[in-house]
Amino acid sequence: MLIFTAFQTCGMVENVVISSATKNSNGTFTGSGYISLGIVYGVFSLSNWGAPSFVAFAGAKMSMFFSSLMYFLFILSFLKPMEWALYLGSALVGLGAAVLWTAQGNFLTINSDSQTVARNSGIFWALLQCSLLFGNIYSYFVFRGQDTITDDSRRLLFIGLSGASFLGSFALLLLRRKPYSLNSVRTLNVSQEISDDSMGSISENISGTNNQGSVSAMQPADTPLMALKKSFHLFRTKEMMILSVVFAYTGLEMTFFSSVYGTCIGQNEHFGQQRKAYLGISGMLIGGVIFGLIGKKTNAFGRDPLVVIGFLTHMAAFLLAFLNLPMNCPYAESFDSTYITSNLYLTLFGSFLLGFGDSSFNTQLYSLIGDMYATESPPAFAVFKFVQSVAACAAFYYGGVIELKWQLLILVAMGTGSLLSFSSIEWKALRAKQAGYQAI
């Protein structure tokens, strides 16, 4: 929550902040927020392949701590914008993000079982999304009444955000140690219809089989080389290839709500002089904290109904954006006409829908991955973040050059595909449970 109070708030205002810094510098600074975020997710995507090896070497806790310091350095670079510092910081945070998210997924998994993973994923996501609430409250009051962001207000914002990031890094040192020994036994659910490749990757750790289709699997610590091999192996399995559609969609919609949508609000001149401050209100509403708190309901209703809810809320948000915002506002200050009178309240309601839908997809993905790949969580989460970040990188690069309507069309198409892909894997898992197949 503390680390992403800094980073997510930064991501939402970065394009507007960089644009204002460029104007204030009289040509001495010409950085681009879209390029910066594109570098973040480009490096992030490549670094995911090495992240499991680093986590295997350093452990989940220390991996999270060291990688979080990269976020701190990135936030500091905004105190005095320089192109080399901005882009170097972007590369460092991309590297750190790969390790942080892989280690976090591993830490969440080893502290959960099949009965608590949905609850723990929901609690984690709710706390994470609180970062959007607190960070954007702060940015709202810093930017209130400013048509152009001044150097003083930029420094005030990023001093506060860098402080939050530093506190978050320190908090990671207080996490408990790994709660089981190398000889512990994990219980996990696996699909009876899992592909031969997937079964092969799981069977490496099998130590015995009973006559009811149960297998006893130990979870020894992986070497860095083993972790890298597992990542490549998992990526080629049928289940991961299907889930990659969902992973890619979460990257596209994350880019949209975390950068493009806020930029559209800040550059929509229909909203008047306060439009920069409305970025903070939009970010607060995107938080979607409520949905994370109902993650425990997964055990009662299944994961796919909650993903359907997320899909429908996203489609509603995309429709409102299409009707309510100028088509060129992702890349220019705009007073162009819209299909309906540009309405601030509808736009902010769209922010809430975007965050609500994002939380629904991500909480259920964490639950599904933690359930299916309990003994292989570092490589599984690395593959998830690799595909997600490749899609996010692409979206950041096209987000600043193509009209809003085309971006929304891409999101609608990918969202539909992700719903179908997620449901197919979830239904396999349900059939496996009904058949009574369980690996131990």
Side-chain angles (χ1 to χ4, degrees), residues 2-216:
L2 289 166
I3 293 165
F4 281 85
T5 287
F7 182 71
Q8 292 204 105
T9 305
C10 174
M12 288 190 165
V13 304
E14 182 171 352
N15 285 311
V16 176
V17 166
I18 293 297
S19 177
S20 295
T22 301
K23 293 177 182 177
N24 297 340
S25 70
N26 296 319
T28 59
F29 173 74
T30 57
S32 166
Y34 281 120
I35 292 177
S36 166
L37 292 168
I39 291 172
V40 169
Y41 286 93
V43 175
F44 185 12
S45 63
L46 296 175
S47 301
N48 273 295
W49 295 112
S53 298
F54 188 89
V55 175
F57 171 76
K61 176 179 172 179
M62 295 311 297
S63 294
M64 285 189 285
F65 172 71
F66 287 120
S67 58
S68 71
L69 296 179
M70 305 297 184
Y71 285 78
F72 176 62
L73 293 175
F74 176 68
I75 301 301
L76 285 180
S77 71
F78 286 87
L79 292 176
K80 182 175 176 56
M82 296 176 285
E83 287 180 62
W84 69 267
L86 174 66
Y87 296 144
L88 175 61
S90 300
L92 287 175
V93 83
L95 177 64
V99 175
L100 181 70
W101 282 103
T102 300
Q104 176 273 323
N106 178 228
F107 191 85
L108 179 69
T109 299
I110 64 178
N111 283 279
S112 306
D113 56 34
S114 61
Q115 299 302 311
T116 61
V117 65
R119 179 203 65 189
N120 293 348
S121 297
I123 293 172
F124 162 75
W125 201 257
L127 289 170
L128 173 67
Q129 294 302 82
C130 283
S131 64
L132 288 167
L133 179 64
F134 300 130
N136 284 289
I137 288 174
Y138 182 52
S139 71
Y140 170 75
F141 285 106
V142 171
F143 292 158
R144 186 173 54 176
Q146 296 186 30
D147 188 35
T148 300
I149 298 170
T150 65
D151 291 341
D152 287 342
S153 62
R154 185 197 68 247
R155 282 191 287 268
L156 178 61
L157 175 68
F158 284 96
I159 287 172
L161 295 183
S162 60
S165 181
F166 180 79
L167 288 175
S169 296
F170 175 77
L172 291 173
L173 294 176
L174 305 179
L175 293 173
R176 70 179 183 179
R177 291 178 179 269
K178 193 174 183 178
Y180 58 78
S181 68
L182 295 182
N183 294 322
S184 297
V185 176
R186 282 292 311 271
T187 299
L188 64 152
N189 297 321
V190 295
S191 169
Q192 195 171 30
E193 301 178 40
I194 205 162
S195 69
D196 291 339
D197 284 345
S198 298
M199 195 61 187
S201 68
I202 292 175
S203 65
E204 291 174 0
N205 292 327
I206 292 177
S207 59
T209 306
N210 66 25
N211 59 7
Q212 295 180 342
S214 296
V215 292
S216 293

Side-chain angles (χ1 to χ4, degrees), residues 254-267:
M254 175 185 66
T255 299
F256 185 75
F257 81 73
S258 67
S259 181
V260 176
Y261 196 71
T263 300
C264 289
I265 294 173
Q267 297 192 146

